[in-house]
Protein backbone atom coordinates (compact mmCIF):
# COMPACT_ATOMS: atom_id res chain seq x y z
CA UNK A 1 0.00 0.00 0.00
CA UNK A 2 1.14 3.49 -0.75
CA UNK A 3 2.20 5.42 2.33
CA UNK A 4 3.44 8.64 0.72
CA UNK A 5 1.82 11.87 1.87
CA UNK A 6 -0.76 13.14 -0.58
CA UNK A 7 -3.27 15.96 -0.47
CA UNK A 8 -6.50 14.48 0.89
CA UNK A 9 -9.50 14.15 -1.40
CA UNK A 10 -12.36 15.51 0.68
CA UNK A 11 -15.98 14.52 0.33
CA UNK A 12 -18.67 17.19 0.68
CA UNK A 13 -19.61 16.27 4.24
CA UNK A 14 -15.94 16.43 5.30
CA UNK A 15 -15.62 20.18 4.59
CA UNK A 16 -16.12 21.21 8.26
CA UNK A 17 -13.13 19.02 9.12
CA UNK A 18 -11.04 20.71 6.44
CA UNK A 19 -11.99 24.15 7.74
CA UNK A 20 -11.04 23.18 11.30
CA UNK A 21 -7.73 21.72 10.13
CA UNK A 22 -7.00 24.92 8.21
CA UNK A 23 -7.72 26.96 11.34
CA UNK A 24 -5.33 24.82 13.40
CA UNK A 25 -2.58 25.29 10.82
CA UNK A 26 -3.12 29.07 10.78
CA UNK A 27 -2.91 29.30 14.57
CA UNK A 28 0.22 27.15 14.62
CA UNK A 29 1.86 29.30 11.94
CA UNK A 30 1.01 32.57 13.71
CA UNK A 31 2.31 31.17 17.00
CA UNK A 32 5.61 30.19 15.36
CA UNK A 33 6.00 33.61 13.76
CA UNK A 34 5.34 35.48 17.01
CA UNK A 35 6.97 33.06 19.43
CA UNK A 36 3.75 32.46 21.35
CA UNK A 37 2.93 29.19 23.13
CA UNK A 38 -0.57 28.12 22.06
CA UNK A 39 -0.07 24.39 22.51
CA UNK A 40 -3.04 24.17 24.89
CA UNK A 41 -5.40 25.82 22.43
CA UNK A 42 -4.13 23.64 19.59
CA UNK A 43 -4.69 20.49 21.68
CA UNK A 44 -8.28 21.60 22.34
CA UNK A 45 -8.88 22.21 18.65
CA UNK A 46 -7.33 18.87 17.69
CA UNK A 47 -9.56 17.12 20.25
CA UNK A 48 -12.55 18.93 18.78
CA UNK A 49 -11.49 17.86 15.28
CA UNK A 50 -11.35 14.22 16.38
CA UNK A 51 -14.77 14.48 18.03
CA UNK A 52 -16.21 16.12 14.92
CA UNK A 53 -14.79 13.37 12.71
CA UNK A 54 -16.35 10.73 14.97
CA UNK A 55 -19.70 12.55 14.91
CA UNK A 56 -19.70 12.83 11.12
CA UNK A 57 -18.69 9.26 10.37
CA UNK A 58 -20.99 7.73 12.98
CA UNK A 59 -24.06 9.33 11.44
CA UNK A 60 -23.52 9.04 7.69
CA UNK A 61 -26.58 8.69 5.49
CA UNK A 62 -26.71 5.77 3.01
CA UNK A 63 -25.83 8.09 0.12
CA UNK A 64 -22.85 9.45 2.09
CA UNK A 65 -21.64 5.92 2.82
CA UNK A 66 -21.86 5.28 -0.91
CA UNK A 67 -19.52 8.23 -1.45
CA UNK A 68 -17.07 6.72 1.04
CA UNK A 69 -17.33 3.31 -0.64
CA UNK A 70 -16.51 4.94 -3.99
CA UNK A 71 -13.67 7.10 -2.67
CA UNK A 72 -10.85 6.97 -5.26
CA UNK A 73 -8.26 6.26 -2.55
CA UNK A 74 -10.21 3.52 -0.83
CA UNK A 75 -8.01 0.39 -0.62
CA UNK A 76 -8.52 -1.97 -3.56
CA UNK A 77 -8.30 -5.74 -3.92
CA UNK A 78 -4.61 -5.63 -4.83
CA UNK A 79 -3.92 -3.24 -1.92
CA UNK A 80 -5.45 -5.66 0.57
CA UNK A 81 -3.81 -8.72 -0.96
CA UNK A 82 -0.41 -7.03 -0.74
CA UNK A 83 -1.03 -6.03 2.88
CA UNK A 84 -2.43 -9.28 4.28
CA UNK A 85 -0.69 -12.06 2.34
CA UNK A 86 2.62 -13.66 3.31
CA UNK A 87 3.39 -14.21 -0.37
CA UNK A 88 1.40 -13.73 -3.54
CA UNK A 89 1.53 -14.61 -7.24
CA UNK A 90 -1.06 -13.21 -9.65
CA UNK A 91 -2.36 -15.62 -12.28
CA UNK A 92 -3.74 -14.50 -15.62
CA UNK A 93 -6.10 -15.67 -18.31
CA UNK A 94 -9.48 -17.36 -18.59
CA UNK A 95 -8.11 -20.13 -20.87
CA UNK A 96 -10.43 -18.85 -23.60
CA UNK A 97 -8.10 -16.21 -25.00
CA UNK A 98 -8.73 -13.32 -22.62
CA UNK A 99 -7.42 -11.78 -19.40
CA UNK A 100 -9.87 -9.28 -17.91
CA UNK A 101 -7.98 -6.63 -15.86
CA UNK A 102 -11.20 -5.69 -14.01
CA UNK A 103 -11.01 -8.97 -12.07
CA UNK A 104 -7.67 -10.10 -10.64
CA UNK A 105 -6.63 -13.21 -8.75
CA UNK A 106 -3.89 -15.62 -7.88
CA UNK A 107 -2.39 -17.89 -5.25
CA UNK A 108 -0.77 -16.87 -2.00
CA UNK A 109 -0.48 -17.56 1.71
CA UNK A 110 -2.57 -16.12 4.50
CA UNK A 111 -1.31 -16.83 7.99
CA UNK A 112 0.92 -19.50 6.47
CA UNK A 113 -2.00 -21.28 4.81
CA UNK A 114 -2.12 -21.58 0.99
CA UNK A 115 -5.16 -19.78 -0.40
CA UNK A 116 -6.57 -18.46 -3.66
CA UNK A 117 -7.48 -14.76 -3.52
CA UNK A 118 -9.38 -12.88 -6.20
CA UNK A 119 -11.53 -9.80 -6.59
CA UNK A 120 -12.66 -6.81 -8.59
CA UNK A 121 -10.01 -4.18 -9.26
CA UNK A 122 -10.85 -0.51 -9.81
CA UNK A 123 -8.33 2.08 -10.96
CA UNK A 124 -6.70 4.92 -9.05
CA UNK A 125 -7.23 7.62 -11.69
CA UNK A 126 -9.14 8.08 -14.93
CA UNK A 127 -6.53 6.36 -17.11
CA UNK A 128 -6.25 3.39 -14.73
CA UNK A 129 -10.02 3.18 -14.35
CA UNK A 130 -10.47 3.03 -18.11
CA UNK A 131 -7.88 0.22 -18.27
CA UNK A 132 -9.69 -1.63 -15.47
CA UNK A 133 -13.14 -0.79 -16.90
CA UNK A 134 -14.00 0.81 -13.52
CA UNK A 135 -13.97 -2.62 -11.87
CA UNK A 136 -16.81 -3.90 -14.08
CA UNK A 137 -15.80 -7.40 -15.14
CA UNK A 138 -16.56 -8.91 -18.53
CA UNK A 139 -17.62 -12.56 -18.94
CA UNK A 140 -13.96 -13.48 -19.32
CA UNK A 141 -13.28 -12.04 -15.87
CA UNK A 142 -15.85 -14.31 -14.25
CA UNK A 143 -14.53 -17.28 -16.21
CA UNK A 144 -11.02 -16.44 -15.02
CA UNK A 145 -12.35 -16.29 -11.47
CA UNK A 146 -14.00 -19.68 -11.90
CA UNK A 147 -10.77 -21.18 -13.24
CA UNK A 148 -8.92 -19.97 -10.16
CA UNK A 149 -11.64 -21.23 -7.82
CA UNK A 150 -11.63 -24.66 -9.47
CA UNK A 151 -7.86 -24.72 -9.02
CA UNK A 152 -8.36 -23.91 -5.33
CA UNK A 153 -10.93 -26.65 -4.93
CA UNK A 154 -8.73 -29.21 -6.67
CA UNK A 155 -5.78 -28.51 -4.37
CA UNK A 156 -7.83 -27.96 -1.16
CA UNK A 157 -7.04 -24.25 -0.82
CA UNK A 158 -9.61 -21.89 0.74
CA UNK A 159 -11.09 -19.28 -1.59
CA UNK A 160 -11.07 -15.61 -0.54
CA UNK A 161 -12.90 -13.06 -2.69
CA UNK A 162 -13.02 -9.26 -2.53
CA UNK A 163 -16.10 -7.53 -3.92
CA UNK A 164 -15.80 -3.97 -5.25
CA UNK A 165 -17.80 -3.22 -8.39
CA UNK A 166 -20.77 -1.09 -9.43
CA UNK A 167 -21.91 -4.13 -11.42
CA UNK A 168 -20.86 -6.45 -14.21
CA UNK A 169 -20.03 -4.86 -17.54
CA UNK A 170 -23.34 -4.32 -19.34
CA UNK A 171 -22.03 -3.61 -22.84
CA UNK A 172 -23.37 -5.30 -25.96
CA UNK A 173 -20.10 -7.18 -26.40
CA UNK A 174 -20.44 -8.58 -22.88
CA UNK A 175 -23.90 -9.88 -23.76
CA UNK A 176 -22.52 -11.44 -26.94
CA UNK A 177 -19.89 -13.19 -24.83
CA UNK A 178 -22.48 -14.60 -22.41
CA UNK A 179 -22.36 -12.32 -19.37
CA UNK A 180 -25.48 -13.78 -17.74
CA UNK A 181 -24.36 -17.37 -18.32
CA UNK A 182 -20.88 -16.70 -16.93
CA UNK A 183 -22.26 -15.24 -13.69
CA UNK A 184 -24.97 -17.90 -13.31
CA UNK A 185 -22.44 -20.69 -13.83
CA UNK A 186 -20.20 -19.20 -11.14
CA UNK A 187 -23.13 -19.09 -8.71
CA UNK A 188 -23.89 -22.76 -9.27
CA UNK A 189 -20.30 -23.91 -9.02
CA UNK A 190 -19.52 -21.94 -5.86
CA UNK A 191 -22.28 -23.82 -4.07
CA UNK A 192 -20.55 -27.09 -5.01
CA UNK A 193 -16.99 -26.41 -3.90
CA UNK A 194 -15.63 -28.41 -0.96
CA UNK A 195 -13.20 -25.78 0.32
CA UNK A 196 -14.02 -22.83 2.62
CA UNK A 197 -15.14 -19.68 0.80
CA UNK A 198 -14.90 -16.24 2.39
CA UNK A 199 -16.31 -13.20 0.58
CA UNK A 200 -15.73 -9.59 1.69
CA UNK A 201 -17.39 -6.43 0.35
CA UNK A 202 -14.48 -3.98 0.49
CA UNK A 203 -16.13 -1.10 -1.35
CA UNK A 204 -19.12 -1.11 -3.65
CA UNK A 205 -20.97 -4.40 -4.15
CA UNK A 206 -23.36 -4.04 -7.05
CA UNK A 207 -25.86 -6.42 -8.64
CA UNK A 208 -24.86 -9.66 -10.39
CA UNK A 209 -21.35 -8.34 -10.81
CA UNK A 210 -20.90 -8.75 -7.05
CA UNK A 211 -22.76 -12.05 -6.86
CA UNK A 212 -20.51 -13.61 -9.50
CA UNK A 213 -17.81 -14.02 -6.83
CA UNK A 214 -20.10 -13.60 -3.81
CA UNK A 215 -21.38 -17.06 -2.89
CA UNK A 216 -19.53 -18.16 0.22
CA UNK A 217 -19.69 -19.70 3.66
CA UNK A 218 -19.29 -16.25 5.22
CA UNK A 219 -20.00 -12.82 3.77
CA UNK A 220 -18.06 -10.04 5.49
CA UNK A 221 -18.49 -6.34 4.83
CA UNK A 222 -16.56 -3.23 5.76
CA UNK A 223 -18.50 -0.73 7.85
CA UNK A 224 -18.76 1.94 5.15
CA UNK A 225 -19.13 -0.39 2.17
CA UNK A 226 -22.42 -0.83 0.33
CA UNK A 227 -24.09 -3.92 -1.14
CA UNK A 228 -27.09 -3.56 -3.40
CA UNK A 229 -29.16 -5.10 -6.17
CA UNK A 230 -28.68 -1.94 -8.26
CA UNK A 231 -26.92 1.38 -7.82
CA UNK A 232 -29.15 4.05 -6.24
CA UNK A 233 -28.76 6.13 -9.41
CA UNK A 234 -30.04 3.26 -11.58
CA UNK A 235 -32.87 2.50 -9.16
CA UNK A 236 -33.99 6.14 -9.11
CA UNK A 237 -33.85 6.34 -12.90
CA UNK A 238 -35.98 3.19 -13.21
CA UNK A 239 -38.58 3.98 -10.53
CA UNK A 240 -38.88 7.76 -10.78
CA UNK A 241 -37.21 8.53 -14.13
CA UNK A 242 -34.97 10.85 -12.12
CA UNK A 243 -31.41 9.92 -11.13
CA UNK A 244 -31.44 12.94 -8.81
CA UNK A 245 -33.54 10.92 -6.40
CA UNK A 246 -30.62 8.56 -5.79
CA UNK A 247 -30.36 9.54 -2.06
CA UNK A 248 -34.00 8.51 -1.59
CA UNK A 249 -33.34 5.25 -3.41
CA UNK A 250 -30.25 4.59 -1.27
CA UNK A 251 -32.39 4.68 1.86
CA UNK A 252 -35.08 2.42 0.41
CA UNK A 253 -32.61 -0.15 -0.94
CA UNK A 254 -31.08 -0.87 2.51
CA UNK A 255 -27.55 -0.81 1.11
CA UNK A 256 -25.51 -0.17 4.27
CA UNK A 257 -23.78 -2.76 6.44
CA UNK A 258 -25.96 -2.47 9.55
CA UNK A 259 -29.20 -2.86 7.59
CA UNK A 260 -27.81 -5.85 5.71
CA UNK A 261 -26.64 -7.47 8.94
CA UNK A 262 -30.12 -7.05 10.43
CA UNK A 263 -31.65 -8.59 7.30
CA UNK A 264 -29.34 -11.61 7.53
CA UNK A 265 -27.61 -10.89 4.22
CA UNK A 266 -24.11 -10.47 5.65
CA UNK A 267 -22.47 -12.30 8.54
CA UNK A 268 -19.97 -9.81 9.97
CA UNK A 269 -19.28 -6.08 9.85
CA UNK A 270 -15.60 -5.08 9.79
CA UNK A 271 -14.75 -1.85 11.62
CA UNK A 272 -13.06 0.90 9.65
CA UNK A 273 -10.71 3.59 10.97
CA UNK A 274 -12.48 6.86 11.76
CA UNK A 275 -12.62 8.66 8.44
CA UNK A 276 -12.97 5.49 6.38
CA UNK A 277 -10.57 2.78 5.24
CA UNK A 278 -8.75 5.23 2.95
CA UNK A 279 -7.75 7.35 5.97
CA UNK A 280 -5.71 4.47 7.48
CA UNK A 281 -5.39 1.59 4.99
CA UNK A 282 -3.00 -0.46 7.13
CA UNK A 283 -5.40 -0.54 10.09
CA UNK A 284 -8.24 -1.53 7.76
CA UNK A 285 -6.07 -4.32 6.33
CA UNK A 286 -5.18 -5.52 9.84
CA UNK A 287 -8.89 -5.72 10.74
CA UNK A 288 -9.61 -7.61 7.54
CA UNK A 289 -6.78 -10.10 8.00
CA UNK A 290 -7.79 -10.92 11.58
CA UNK A 291 -11.42 -11.46 10.56
CA UNK A 292 -10.41 -13.72 7.68
CA UNK A 293 -8.11 -15.80 9.88
CA UNK A 294 -10.77 -16.17 12.58
CA UNK A 295 -13.41 -17.29 10.10
CA UNK A 296 -11.03 -19.63 8.29
CA UNK A 297 -10.14 -21.26 11.59
CA UNK A 298 -13.83 -21.98 12.22
CA UNK A 299 -14.57 -23.20 8.70
CA UNK A 300 -11.50 -25.46 8.56
CA UNK A 301 -12.98 -27.46 11.45
CA UNK A 302 -16.00 -28.44 9.34
CA UNK A 303 -16.13 -31.26 6.81
CA UNK A 304 -16.68 -30.44 3.13
CA UNK A 305 -20.20 -31.86 3.37
CA UNK A 306 -21.00 -29.67 6.38
CA UNK A 307 -19.67 -26.58 4.62
CA UNK A 308 -21.72 -27.21 1.48
CA UNK A 309 -24.89 -27.83 3.49
CA UNK A 310 -24.46 -24.73 5.64
CA UNK A 311 -23.66 -22.64 2.55
CA UNK A 312 -26.87 -23.85 0.91
CA UNK A 313 -28.94 -23.17 4.02
CA UNK A 314 -27.43 -19.71 4.44
CA UNK A 315 -28.64 -18.55 1.04
CA UNK A 316 -32.01 -20.32 1.29
CA UNK A 317 -32.76 -18.23 4.38
CA UNK A 318 -32.18 -14.92 2.58
CA UNK A 319 -35.47 -13.20 1.79
CA UNK A 320 -37.62 -15.25 4.16
CA UNK A 321 -40.18 -13.10 5.97
CA UNK A 322 -43.16 -13.52 8.25
CA UNK A 323 -46.51 -12.01 7.33
CA UNK A 324 -48.46 -10.82 10.35
CA UNK A 325 -52.20 -11.41 10.38
CA UNK A 326 -54.39 -8.35 10.86
Amino acid sequence: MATTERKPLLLDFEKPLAELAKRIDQIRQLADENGVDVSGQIRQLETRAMQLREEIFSSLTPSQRLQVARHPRRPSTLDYIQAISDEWMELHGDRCGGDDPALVGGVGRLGGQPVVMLGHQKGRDTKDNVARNFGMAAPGGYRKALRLMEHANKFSMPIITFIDTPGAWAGIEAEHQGQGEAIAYNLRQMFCFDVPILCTVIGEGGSGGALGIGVGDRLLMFEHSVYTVATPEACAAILWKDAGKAPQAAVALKIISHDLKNLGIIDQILAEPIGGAHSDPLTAATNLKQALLNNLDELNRLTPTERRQLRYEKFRKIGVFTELAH
Side-chain angles (χ1 to χ4, degrees), residues 50-66:
M50 179 61 70
Q51 291 172 343
L52 182 59
R53 183 178 294 275
E54 291 177 358
E55 291 169 6
I56 290 173
F57 278 86
S58 63
S59 58
L60 294 178
T61 66
S63 59
Q64 288 172 334
R65 286 179 187 262
L66 181 60

Side-chain angles (χ1 to χ4, degrees), residues 105-160:
V107 294
R109 291 183 183 274
L110 179 65
Q113 181 177 6
V115 295
V116 163
M117 292 184 278
L118 56 99
H120 305 102
Q121 181 64 32
K122 293 181 178 180
R124 283 291 181 222
D125 51 36
T126 301
K127 182 179 179 180
D128 195 18
N129 258 321
V130 170
R132 298 281 185 183
N133 200 29
F134 296 85
M136 296 184 292
Y142 291 102
R143 292 179 179 126
K144 176 170 70 172
L146 181 62
R147 178 179 76 83
L148 295 175
M149 291 188 286
E150 288 175 338
H151 177 87
N153 194 58
K154 179 178 180 180
F155 293 100
S156 300
M157 293 187 288
I159 298 167
I160 297 173

Side-chain angles (χ1 to χ4, degrees), residues 15 21-22 32 104 109 142 153-154 168-169 188-189 196 208 235 277 303 317 320 323 326:
K15 288 181 179 178
K22 183 178 180 181
D32 290 341
V104 299
R109 291 183 183 274
Y142 291 102
N153 194 58
K154 179 178 180 180
W169 182 35
R188 188 184 75 176
Q189 293 305 104
C235 177
T303 66
K317 290 176 184 176
V320 173
E323 185 174 350
H326 294 288

Side-chain angles (χ1 to χ4, degrees), residues 100 133 135-139 142 165 167-175 177 179 209:
D100 186 1
N133 200 29
M136 296 184 292
Y142 291 102
T165 181
W169 182 35
I172 294 176
E173 187 177 350
E175 294 304 313
Q177 295 171 1
Q179 183 70 284

Side-chain angles (χ1 to χ4, degrees), residues 3 34 51 115 211 263:
T3 57
N34 296 287
Q51 291 172 343
V115 295
L211 287 176
L263 290 169

